[in-house]
Amino acid sequence: MLLWHEYQECYLYYSFYETEVDARVKKMWEMHFEQECMHLAMACDLLQKYEGTEWQQIIPAGEFPELLDFHPTKDYVRQVLAEQVTLTAQDEEFVDIDDVPSDFRFFTWNDTVNGRVQDVPSHEAVRQLIERDGEDYRSEDAESPIPELRSRKKDDTKLARVQGYGKRAHEVERQAKEEREAVLV
């Protein structure tokens, strides 16, 4: 099992390395691949020492299958956000926050777990960053698909938490869904 585990890690890191386009990140994948190759060599030694088995008996070809193709998913993530940012779970379904009763357990749970949203550590960290740097931590190559989340100078703590808030987000969701369905037709 250890041999297969290390072999799979080598395979994944080599796939990352081969498909990475950013030279700085590519060096990181190379470093991790080299570390995993050393782990793989150690696993081979342990297999021989404790089981008397050569690694070729377990992995006969000794070559990786076709490498995985990793590619950017930003457009996909933006599409999912645009279509689903105001959804919450209601039993086995996902429904819009505005379509659940005002006494729905989602609100009670949020109030119980989070208390004052401003006191949630992640929101406190964003608030402190904005106070210190004048904007939040995001590094963006395009604006958020959600109008309510575009400002880097204030932390939105209402979207998908407060009913009736996020009408612009609903419009973006509707448009994104229509565009996706038009492509599928």
Side-chain angles (χ1 to χ4, degrees):
M1 291 301 277
L2 176 64
L3 182 73
W4 276 114
H5 174 83
E6 297 303 335
Y7 174 82
Q8 289 297 324
E9 285 187 335
C10 289
Y11 171 66
L12 284 173
Y13 282 124
Y14 191 64
S15 293
F16 289 142
Y17 170 78
E18 284 295 310
T19 58
E20 183 57 58
V21 295
D22 184 319
R24 293 176 299 129
V25 177
K26 191 172 184 112
K27 286 180 185 177
M28 179 189 70
W29 293 132
E30 181 180 30
M31 177 191 73
H32 287 297
F33 172 65
E34 289 171 354
Q35 290 172 346
E36 292 307 326
C37 285
M38 179 54 71
H39 296 166
L40 181 60
M42 292 165 62
C44 291
D45 292 344
L46 291 170
L47 184 67
Q48 174 59 44
K49 180 177 178 179
Y50 291 103
E51 296 186 24
T53 304
E54 295 294 328
W55 67 265
Q56 294 91 338
Q57 294 173 263
I58 310 294
I59 308 172
E63 294 181 11
F64 291 138
E66 182 179 336
L67 295 179
L68 299 173
D69 179 20
F70 294 98
H71 52 278
T73 58
K74 289 179 186 178
D75 291 338
Y76 170 73
V77 170
R78 286 178 187 189
Q79 175 188 344
V80 171
L81 280 172
E83 293 177 8
Q84 301 181 14
V85 71
T86 61
L87 297 185
T88 188
Q90 184 177 33
D91 300 321
E92 290 85 31
E93 302 294 323
F94 288 102
V95 297
D96 193 280
I97 195 83
D98 288 343
D99 294 337
V100 295
S102 61
D103 62 348
F104 186 57
R105 66 182 176 264
F106 168 83
F107 303 110
T108 304
W109 183 88
N110 265 330
D111 290 343
T112 302
V113 172
N114 296 320
R116 287 176 9 112
V117 174
Q118 302 88 317
D119 296 334
V120 173
S122 58
H123 290 294
E124 176 64 16
V126 170
R127 185 189 61 72
Q128 289 176 9
L129 270 169
I130 292 170
E131 284 178 5
R132 187 187 75 197
D133 299 338
E135 61 184 16
D136 64 24
Y137 59 89
R138 290 179 281 178
S139 173
E140 299 177 313
D141 55 13
E143 71 178 4
S144 172
I146 311 304
E148 290 83 355
L149 300 179
R150 289 182 184 153
S151 174
R152 295 187 59 201
K153 299 191 182 309
K154 76 173 188 68
D155 184 22
D156 188 310
T157 59
K158 294 181 182 178
L159 185 63
R161 284 195 174 114
V162 176
Q163 286 183 304
Y165 182 82
K167 295 300 179 191
R168 293 186 305 174
H170 286 103
E171 182 60 24
V172 169
E173 288 173 18
R174 187 189 58 71
Q175 288 175 341
K177 185 176 181 183
E178 287 174 2
E179 289 171 9
R180 183 174 45 83
E181 288 174 353
V183 169
L184 296 175
V185 174

